[in-house]
Amino acid sequence: MEKKNFYITTPIYYPSGNWHIGTCYTTVVCDAIARFKRMSGYDVFFLTGTDEHGQKIEEKAKEQGKTPIEFIDPIVDGLKAIWAKLGISYDRFIRTTDADHIKCVQKIFKTLYEKGDIYKSEYEGWYCTPCESFWTEGQLKDGKCPDCGREVHLEKEESYFFRLSKYADRLRKLFNDNPEFLQPKSRVNEMINNFIDAGLQDLCVSRTSIKWGIPVDFDPNHVVYVWVDALPNYISALGYGAEDSSLFDKFWPCDLHMTGKEIVRFHTLIWPAILMALDLPVPKRVYGHGWLLIGGDKLSKSKGDKISTELTDPNEIIERYGSDALRYFLLREIPFGNDGIYTNEILLHRINSDLANDLGNLVSRTTAMINQYFGGILPSPIEAGEFDDDLINIAKNAYKNASLAIDEINVPKALGEIFKLIGRANKYIDETTPWILAKDESKKARLGTVLYNLAESIRISATLLLPFIPNAPVKILKCFGIDAEKLLNFDSVETFGVLKAGISVEKCAPIFPRIDVKKELKEIDDMMIKRHKEKEKELKKMANNTVIEEKAPEITIDDFAKVELKVAKVLTCEEVKGSKKLLKLTLSLGDEERTVASGIKEYYKCEDLVGKKVVLVSNLKKAKLCGVESQGMILCAEKDGKVVIVSPSQDMPEGSIVR
Ligand code: MSP
């Protein structure tokens, strides 16, 4: 029988340099679906990659004194390394800087120009001269450049435009005739009402003010602008328009474009219109998923340095808990189509409750009992009993139900179907109480059946879990003598009774050790707070250096006269509790005493200070530092991290004026 094809894509990622767990969401979901479809007998092509052109990249590279490619390459390598850790089984990783993509985009641009769907006109926008950037009215901040805050002015730039407006009726028809085209359905109205009905504007598709892009080959002053460069990756990756277009012929139209909700508009309006203009079929389905939120904010590139103790670096989460745990969290916790929330606590509870408890305990209890009661040899199912049918039914239907959920693109629901079997099997242990059966020799046949049924339930659930968490099921199945690397399809999951009685069953070690959540959270909090403090210190140090290096503004003698400086003698000194930096000094000014909190603990011991003459800024406004009221400030000299107290070069009476 000929295999059915399935083409699935993620959006291509901007190499901004800050990969976080939100970035992983779309790709992990696509990977689970791609793996599930492969095991269901489909010939799958799974595409992901990076979107590397544009002004932002050009600017960031410049800031670092690099060429755009020198800037991008290590970031892309970082993403590929994360995909490797997460076991992302893509068939191609496309980069929009790949030669075949560039050629394809140029060809598409020319074809559309020749057909009259792309035309030359003028783009009018707000231009910031120092930034060399165009902004739309909506992008301005208080009428000024959102990047540098300077004045902008209206300017025109010669540009090519795509006739998006021409396709409004066909797009409306696309939505009306194909209720499956965009999902979740809730997003359809927004596209029709807010965009199509509001009037589609032709789209600016080239720029002369940006250099980092694909040149329009017949007019090289222009580079292709953003979406007409990015969206065609879905067909350039398959060799559209190239000498060998066999992949394109086989896989296009795409079965599923998975995208975040903020870019649904580009995938369901602009992209189909470009395809219509090229006389190509439109994608079968676009799914707009929700965002992973942290503390109510989308995890985004620009908020990467937000103060928070949540772990957001996928590398770090994988290192601590393994890639299956991160994949499981992303696939299970976020209600599909809606936003979901990440906190360390939610992640840890998910690991404990589903993976360590439900799955882990089922496997360790079952394999331990087979070893304890049957010497590690799988018994035969010879004596059926109460509860068996229910368990067996759920096991036999798990694949069908999970598969239906995958076709609805509801990944958490698919996992829920598999965990229904795991939950049922755990309940079956409580119902059949094998440890009681084991006490009675006459119940040995029943005990054997119970354990056999449990082993089969584990085999089916572990096999079904392979697309979602590719590592743990391999270890589980190995305990039952199954080499999961060779398990390339789901052929065995709808039959109950595949495991042969008499095979050896290993006692499975806990696959997901239980985490002490309270202890772990404390450890993460401490670590993250320490990290933030170090970062702050670093920033402060940098800021201080800048201040020192910068010339102070000129002041008049009158300005200086406002500062009262007096010689003072240190009478007592003690450390300020809870502060790493402060010492509490009592100073004598001759006719009065002052208390001063001074940040010199790193440089002086108390015994070296008592009796010393110092210079005090004596008319400084009082301030409370770590609970100490500081009535002035002593002067220090500082350079390259060295700090020394300023003292009169000869002994002078306390209270002497310094000028
Ligand atoms: N380059 C464009 C896409 C072009 S497709 C032809 C882009 N790139 S992106 O890097 O900003 O986003 C890539 C994908 O990651 C999007 O689907 C986006 O929604 C997703 N996510 C980025 N942060 C996310 C979360 N915090 N949560 C879930 N997904 C998020 O857009």
Side-chain angles (χ1 to χ4, degrees), residues 535-597:
K535 202 167 157 191
E536 254 175 23
K537 207 167 151 188
E538 194 67 23
L539 287 174
K540 233 185 205 158
K541 213 165 154 188
M542 274 162 64
N544 278 344
N545 285 345
T546 335
V547 170
I548 290 163
E549 278 158 26
E550 267 176 19
K551 245 184 160 177
E554 198 174 63
I555 56 169
T556 62
I557 191 79
D558 294 338
D559 291 331
F560 181 69
K562 287 182 191 159
V563 184
E564 185 185 69
L565 300 171
K566 285 184 178 175
V567 172
K569 182 176 171 184
V570 180
L571 298 177
T572 65
C573 170
E574 61 184 278
E575 296 186 353
V576 175
K577 270 196 199 114
S579 167
K580 280 189 190 156
K581 291 186 179 169
L582 293 179
L583 291 179
K584 181 179 167 185
L585 309 175
T586 329
L587 305 176
S588 159
L589 290 173
D591 52 358
E592 62 166 321
E593 278 184 17
R594 296 277 185 99
T595 305
V596 165

Side-chain angles (χ1 to χ4, degrees), residues 102-288:
I102 293 176
K103 223 167 145 187
C104 180
V105 168
Q106 287 177 327
K107 202 164 173 174
I108 290 174
F109 202 95
K110 199 165 175 192
T111 309
L112 296 181
Y113 179 68
E114 283 165 359
K115 286 182 73 175
D117 274 316
I118 282 182
Y119 62 93
K120 206 180 213 177
S121 181
E122 269 183 336
Y123 172 82
E124 194 178 61
W126 293 95
Y127 194 70
C128 172
T129 312
C131 295
E132 293 179 48
S133 305
F134 269 102
W135 304 104
T136 60
E137 184 91 39
Q139 286 173 318
L140 299 180
K141 242 192 216 153
D142 303 325
K144 303 227 165 92
C145 171
D147 266 3
C148 70
R150 280 180 271 212
E151 294 295 332
V152 287
H153 59 276
L154 261 185
E155 201 165 293
K156 285 183 180 167
E157 180 183 322
E158 181 191 86
S159 291
Y160 285 94
F161 283 79
F162 172 62
R163 270 185 222 287
L164 184 60
S165 57
K166 177 178 152 187
Y167 292 92
D169 290 340
R170 283 181 68 184
L171 289 170
R172 188 179 290 108
K173 191 166 161 24
L174 170 66
F175 283 105
N176 290 338
D177 294 355
N178 302 282
E180 296 284 293
F181 173 63
L182 169 58
Q183 287 182 346
K185 286 201 173 68
S186 53
R187 305 209 195 278
V188 173
N189 280 346
E190 189 196 347
M191 292 303 125
I192 298 183
N193 301 342
N194 297 7
F195 298 107
I196 303 181
D197 289 350
L200 289 176
Q201 306 286 322
D202 287 353
L203 186 75
C204 173
V205 292
S206 84
R207 284 293 166 86
T208 51
S209 54
I210 301 171
K211 294 287 159 262
W212 180 237
I214 299 179
V216 173
D217 51 357
F218 56 88
D219 193 352
N221 266 343
H222 289 254
V223 298
V224 180
Y225 185 57
V226 188
W227 290 99
V228 178
D229 171 352
L231 290 161
N233 89 88
Y234 299 132
I235 54 177
S236 69
L238 300 178
Y240 168 72
E243 222 165 89
D244 178 5
S245 63
S246 51
L247 282 175
F248 178 78
D249 300 336
K250 180 172 173 181
F251 286 106
W252 193 258
C254 182
D255 292 273
L256 181 57
H257 283 319
M258 183 69 75
T259 81
K261 62 182 178 183
E262 81 284 14
I263 51 174
V264 160
R265 181 159 70 97
F266 305 100
H267 285 81
T268 60
L269 299 173
I270 298 174
W271 180 223
I274 293 174
L275 290 164
M276 287 170 187
L278 291 169
D279 294 318
L280 292 176
V282 300
K284 291 183 202 157
R285 208 152 26 152
V286 176
Y287 195 98

Side-chain angles (χ1 to χ4, degrees), residues 11-14 20 22-23 25-26 51 227 230-231 233-234 259-263 267 289-292 298-301:
I12 41 173
Y13 290 83
Y14 290 126
H20 51 68
T23 327
Y25 180 60
T26 322
D51 188 357
W227 290 99
L231 290 161
N233 89 88
Y234 299 132
T259 81
K261 62 182 178 183
E262 81 284 14
I263 51 174
H267 285 81
H289 66 69
W291 289 333
L292 184 63
K298 177 176 173 240
L299 268 174
S300 72
K301 303 137 228 173

Side-chain angles (χ1 to χ4, degrees), residues 255-360:
D255 292 273
L256 181 57
H257 283 319
M258 183 69 75
T259 81
K261 62 182 178 183
E262 81 284 14
I263 51 174
V264 160
R265 181 159 70 97
F266 305 100
H267 285 81
T268 60
L269 299 173
I270 298 174
W271 180 223
I274 293 174
L275 290 164
M276 287 170 187
L278 291 169
D279 294 318
L280 292 176
V282 300
K284 291 183 202 157
R285 208 152 26 152
V286 176
Y287 195 98
H289 66 69
W291 289 333
L292 184 63
L293 307 173
I294 179 157
D297 271 326
K298 177 176 173 240
L299 268 174
S300 72
K301 303 137 228 173
S302 50
K303 291 201 176 107
D305 56 356
K306 193 175 155 215
I307 301 285
S308 149
T309 58
E310 307 302 350
L311 297 170
T312 55
D313 176 357
N315 293 299
E316 195 159 22
I317 298 180
I318 294 168
E319 208 163 284
R320 292 181 89 91
Y321 315 112
S323 76
D324 276 357
L326 177 55
R327 284 179 67 110
Y328 185 77
F329 169 83
L330 293 171
L331 296 171
R332 186 72 197 264
E333 187 64 38
I334 295 131
F336 218 51
N338 295 320
D339 293 345
I341 292 181
Y342 173 86
T343 66
N344 299 331
E345 193 171 355
I346 301 175
L347 170 75
L348 298 182
H349 281 305
R350 266 289 173 206
I351 298 175
N352 271 355
S353 72
D354 298 11
L355 299 176
N357 270 6
D358 296 351
L359 175 63

Side-chain angles (χ1 to χ4, degrees), residues 324-530:
D324 276 357
L326 177 55
R327 284 179 67 110
Y328 185 77
F329 169 83
L330 293 171
L331 296 171
R332 186 72 197 264
E333 187 64 38
I334 295 131
F336 218 51
N338 295 320
D339 293 345
I341 292 181
Y342 173 86
T343 66
N344 299 331
E345 193 171 355
I346 301 175
L347 170 75
L348 298 182
H349 281 305
R350 266 289 173 206
I351 298 175
N352 271 355
S353 72
D354 298 11
L355 299 176
N357 270 6
D358 296 351
L359 175 63
N361 280 348
L362 173 65
V363 175
S364 48
R365 283 205 290 175
T366 304
T367 57
M369 288 192 287
I370 293 172
N371 276 272
Q372 192 182 344
Y373 305 138
F374 292 91
I377 302 296
L378 186 68
S380 296
I382 38 181
E383 191 183 318
E386 207 190 346
F387 313 114
D388 293 7
D389 285 351
D390 192 32
L391 176 72
I392 293 170
N393 260 333
I394 291 178
K396 280 176 156 175
N397 285 312
Y399 168 69
K400 192 181 77 200
N401 292 335
S403 185
L404 284 173
I406 288 291
D407 288 342
E408 285 168 24
I409 326 178
N410 193 335
V411 178
K413 190 171 162 197
L415 271 173
E417 293 296 342
I418 303 166
F419 272 79
K420 210 185 262 174
L421 169 58
I422 293 166
R424 185 66 192 86
N426 275 319
K427 194 167 159 226
Y428 180 78
I429 299 183
D430 299 338
E431 289 164 344
T432 53
T433 55
W435 53 94
I436 296 176
L437 295 175
K439 287 190 184 141
D440 186 343
E441 196 48 36
S442 70
K443 305 233 167 93
K444 190 106 192 195
R446 178 64 190 141
L447 174 64
T449 309
V450 165
L451 293 180
Y452 181 88
N453 288 343
L454 287 170
E456 268 295 274
S457 304
I458 292 173
R459 177 188 66 79
I460 292 175
S461 38
T463 308
L464 288 174
L465 280 175
L466 277 165
F468 305 93
I469 47 170
N471 302 311
V474 174
K475 293 185 199 152
I476 296 172
L477 290 164
K478 193 165 165 271
C479 297
F480 294 88
I482 299 171
D483 179 0
E485 310 285 341
K486 292 196 186 129
L487 206 58
L488 301 176
N489 57 50
F490 281 140
D491 289 356
S492 67
V493 291
E494 286 177 291
T495 315
F496 201 91
V498 168
L499 283 176
K500 297 238 175 334
I503 60 160
S504 296
V505 175
E506 236 176 76
K507 197 171 161 206
C508 246
I511 314 258
F512 296 97
R514 242 193 106 72
I515 299 168
D516 180 338
V517 176
K518 216 169 146 192
K519 197 169 145 222
E520 183 73 8
L521 286 176
K522 164 104 182 49
E523 196 178 297
I524 301 172
D525 276 357
D526 291 350
M527 177 184 84
M528 296 300 268
I529 289 167
K530 191 170 160 216

